[in-house]
Amino acid sequence: MVRRTKEQAEATRTQLLDAAEALFCDKGVASTTLDMIARAAGVTRGAVYWHFKNKAEIFEAVCDRATSPMETMLDTLAAEPGDDPLGSLERQSCEILQLIARDARMRAVLEILFRGFDGGAEFAEYLAREEESKRDCRCQIESVLEAAAARGQLPPDVSPAKVAVAVTAFVGGLMHDWVLDGDYDLADMAPYLTRVFFKGLASA
């Protein structure tokens, strides 16, 4: 009985996230209400509050569900950059771009994020955590680049911190451009684009 109740609760949570994701994409975050999410999910408003305290928390869960694969990949690389840190970072950058190109859910959520939204004061905590997450991501990339520099994969006068800014701008810029106005096959072009970019880093 306990297991069934837990499974039912998880199923309800998934219904809410699916409904919220679709509404956020269709109507925008600011125009979507908790009542609308509850109706679309086929549950009561009370069920919404059982799982989430407000719309910002739902939005964060929707985003986390889509972007966690990217974060997991970077966490793994930063923990163990291996014998070829620069090559590993290039391969992972390529894999992330291809993942975005092939995952409809991830693209939908990124489109919501990139188009911007005015969710009000309740989103302040989420936005602060998002900024912190971006800084953490850049720091993880910097740690991989420090390992690359220690192995002679970067010119000695190149700063890993500055290169980390370049890498995040390169990957993030491609993501932003393709998600909002992509008229090219990102999955197909990703290997070439990342190869050219990282070749430039190694010879900068």
Side-chain angles (χ1 to χ4, degrees):
M1 179 64 71
V2 173
R3 180 179 177 182
R4 182 182 178 187
T5 301
K6 184 177 180 180
E7 289 174 348
Q8 289 173 333
E10 185 59 33
T12 299
R13 186 178 188 277
T14 298
Q15 287 174 239
L16 288 167
L17 292 179
D18 288 345
E21 180 183 299
L23 287 166
F24 291 155
C25 289
D26 183 44
K27 300 183 179 300
V29 178
S31 299
T32 298
T33 66
L34 293 179
D35 282 336
M36 292 165 63
I37 293 172
R39 287 198 299 272
V43 301
T44 65
R45 188 183 174 95
V48 177
Y49 281 114
W50 175 263
H51 292 275
F52 306 99
K53 66 180 181 181
N54 54 32
K55 184 167 66 173
E57 195 169 275
I58 297 177
F59 180 72
E60 184 170 3
V62 167
C63 293
D64 287 347
R65 184 173 67 162
T67 60
S68 60
M70 291 189 293
E71 295 172 0
T72 299
M73 290 167 66
L74 186 54
D75 287 344
T76 301
L77 178 59
E80 183 50 65
D83 296 328
D84 180 19
L86 194 63
S88 295
L89 186 58
E90 176 185 339
R91 287 188 291 274
Q92 186 174 95
S93 298
C94 180
E95 289 170 9
I96 286 174
L97 293 172
Q98 291 181 322
L99 178 63
I100 292 166
R102 293 166 177 162
D103 190 313
R105 166 168 288 159
M106 189 176 292
R107 181 176 183 176
V109 170
L110 288 175
E111 184 171 352
I112 296 169
L113 288 169
F114 291 157
R115 290 197 182 283
F117 60 91
D118 179 15
E122 67 179 341
F123 281 83
E125 289 185 11
Y126 165 74
L127 292 173
R129 286 193 295 272
E130 184 65 15
E131 286 304 311
E132 183 178 356
S133 176
K134 289 178 182 178
R135 289 192 293 271
D136 289 344
C137 174
R138 191 167 62 246
C139 286
Q140 287 179 308
I141 291 173
E142 183 179 343
S143 73
V144 176
L145 290 166
E146 287 173 346
R151 289 166 173 78
Q153 293 185 312
L154 293 176
D157 59 340
V158 169
S159 163
K162 291 180 180 179
V163 177
V165 173
V167 172
T168 54
F170 167 71
V171 177
L174 275 174
M175 288 166 54
H176 188 277
D177 177 71
W178 185 79
V179 167
L180 294 187
D181 193 29
D183 59 352
Y184 52 91
D185 187 338
L186 180 61
D188 181 64
M189 290 186 65
Y192 168 75
L193 295 171
T194 52
R195 183 170 64 253
V196 170
F197 177 79
F198 279 89
K199 185 177 181 180
L201 290 183
S203 60

